[in-house]
Amino acid sequence: QVQLVESGGGLVQAGGSLRLSCAASGSIFTLMVMGWYRQAPGKQRELVATITTGRSTSYADSVKGRFTISKDNAKNTVYLEMNNLRREDTAVYYCNGFWYGNNYWGQGTQVTVSS
């Protein structure tokens, strides 16, 4: 069983930065494709960024150049560095791990960007 626990959300002014962390339990962290999703009020959950086992990354167009996903295999942790935050980045951010058809989700962390 894999458990994912996010942290690092909060309230920040537009233009500011936050770093989200997602700590994973279990022994398959290095085998999983890890990702960050977000869900704003009244909207569907959307993919923000992913990182593969080989550390290849991909991003939604809306966050390219502002967000960076990374991971530390020694700490079983994946990060999302968010810079130049905008009001439209306000959402609950979820950590996701995918392995052999199984999706694992964290409980989510709220990010609120004020003007």
Side-chain angles (χ1 to χ4, degrees), residues 43-92:
K43 295 187 177 181
Q44 289 189 332
R45 191 173 297 191
E46 63 174 357
L47 178 63
V48 175
T50 60
I51 185 166
T52 68
T53 56
R55 298 181 186 273
S56 294
T57 59
S58 64
Y59 299 92
D61 287 344
S62 59
V63 307
K64 280 181 182 176
R66 300 187 299 122
F67 290 11
T68 302
I69 188 171
S70 62
K71 65 175 183 172
D72 185 334
N73 286 339
K75 296 182 178 180
N76 275 17
T77 300
V78 62
Y79 304 97
L80 185 68
E81 184 77 34
M82 305 185 294
N83 298 313
N84 192 20
L85 282 159
R86 305 167 181 170
R87 287 190 64 186
E88 54 264 38
D89 295 318
T90 295
V92 178

Side-chain angles (χ1 to χ4, degrees), residues 95-109:
C95 178
N96 171 266
F98 179 79
W99 183 67
Y100 270 101
N102 295 305
N103 270 300
Y104 303 96
W105 293 95
Q107 82 287 353
T109 185

Side-chain angles (χ1 to χ4, degrees), residues 1-6 22-26 32 76 104-107:
Q1 185 70 15
V2 175
Q3 289 187 323
L4 304 176
V5 180
E6 303 99 333
C22 171
S25 66
M32 294 194 293
N76 275 17
Y104 303 96
W105 293 95
Q107 82 287 353

